[in-house]
Amino acid sequence: MRERIPHEIVASVLAGATAFIGGTALNLPTWAIFISWAAMFLLGAKPTLRNATRLWATMPVGSAFALVIVFVDQNVGTVLGEGQFAKNVVLGVVILVFNTALMFTGRVRVVALVPGMFLGFASFFAAYFGGFGFAPGNLWAAWVSVVAMNAAGPVFAYLSRRWTFPRRSGTDGTGVEGHATGTDADATVGTQAAAGLQSDPALARS
């Protein structure tokens, strides 16, 4: 594939456009777009609906666990006393419990992408304690705001590739670059199959 417009330019234009999302009265955490945008490319060189769905399923769950941790800490954080060490002990126990629950939740197939949950987990803390959201200081406003921005990331990742308007190119008249056609393709497949048979340790032992 050859890009008609360089990916670097398209991605930068889209990145600049986020200023019009965050620079509003809603005070949205547009940086959360970049987190899931980058995650799409960590999952593969080409953004796919499958990988987008995996992030859309897991990032809100991670943010929900973070919301619960903050809520519990706000309500029982001083149960051992007002001192900083006592508060730290309580917070440590709360994180231990809910972080363990988060990781066990990853055993469920639909939310098996545990790193995706942790991206949402960290995004919520940054949004809430950073004062982002349409109602700064409100747990649910922070959650809704960060989930919406995280959800936009895969869309930006897709557009950053789609709007390069890629076209197929050939180098030797055989069609798509790097792909042979006709008899040559059959010969290539046959050669690869033979090489695979020779290198298969199971077959070598038999």
Side-chain angles (χ1 to χ4, degrees), residues 31-32 55 68 75 102 108 135 139 173 179 185:
W31 46 261
L55 288 173
V68 172
N75 287 274
L102 181 153
V108 179
L139 288 171
H179 289 74

Side-chain angles (χ1 to χ4, degrees), residues 113-204:
L113 186 66
V114 175
M117 285 196 280
F118 274 105
L119 290 175
F121 188 79
S123 293
F124 176 83
F125 287 129
Y128 178 74
F129 291 110
F132 291 94
F134 54 85
N138 182 286
L139 288 171
W140 290 105
W143 186 83
V144 170
S145 298
V146 81
V147 166
M149 294 298 96
N150 278 158
V155 177
F156 276 72
Y158 168 76
L159 294 177
S160 73
R161 285 296 190 189
R162 185 70 182 86
W163 286 353
T164 63
F165 300 104
R167 61 182 177 183
R168 296 189 176 188
S169 61
T171 57
D172 55 5
T174 57
V176 180
E177 184 175 1
H179 289 74
T181 57
T183 306
D184 291 340
D186 294 336
T188 301
V189 172
T191 302
Q192 291 174 342
L197 289 173
Q198 293 170 1
S199 62
D200 191 324
L203 293 174

Side-chain angles (χ1 to χ4, degrees), residues 16-93:
T18 63
F20 297 93
I21 300 174
T24 66
L26 293 178
N27 191 36
L28 296 174
T30 50
W31 46 261
I33 293 175
F34 295 96
I35 292 176
S36 51
W37 183 347
M40 283 290 288
F41 287 101
L42 287 174
L43 290 172
K46 181 180 179 181
T48 64
L49 180 59
R50 178 177 180 274
N51 286 336
T53 301
R54 294 169 72 193
L55 288 173
W56 287 332
T58 54
M59 295 186 78
V61 175
S63 293
F65 272 100
L67 182 153
V68 172
I69 287 173
V70 175
F71 176 79
V72 172
D73 184 62
Q74 287 179 343
N75 287 274
V76 303
T78 58
V79 69
L80 295 181
E82 296 290 340
Q84 189 59 52
F85 181 78
K87 292 179 181 178
N88 290 345
V89 170
V90 174
L91 178 59
V93 172

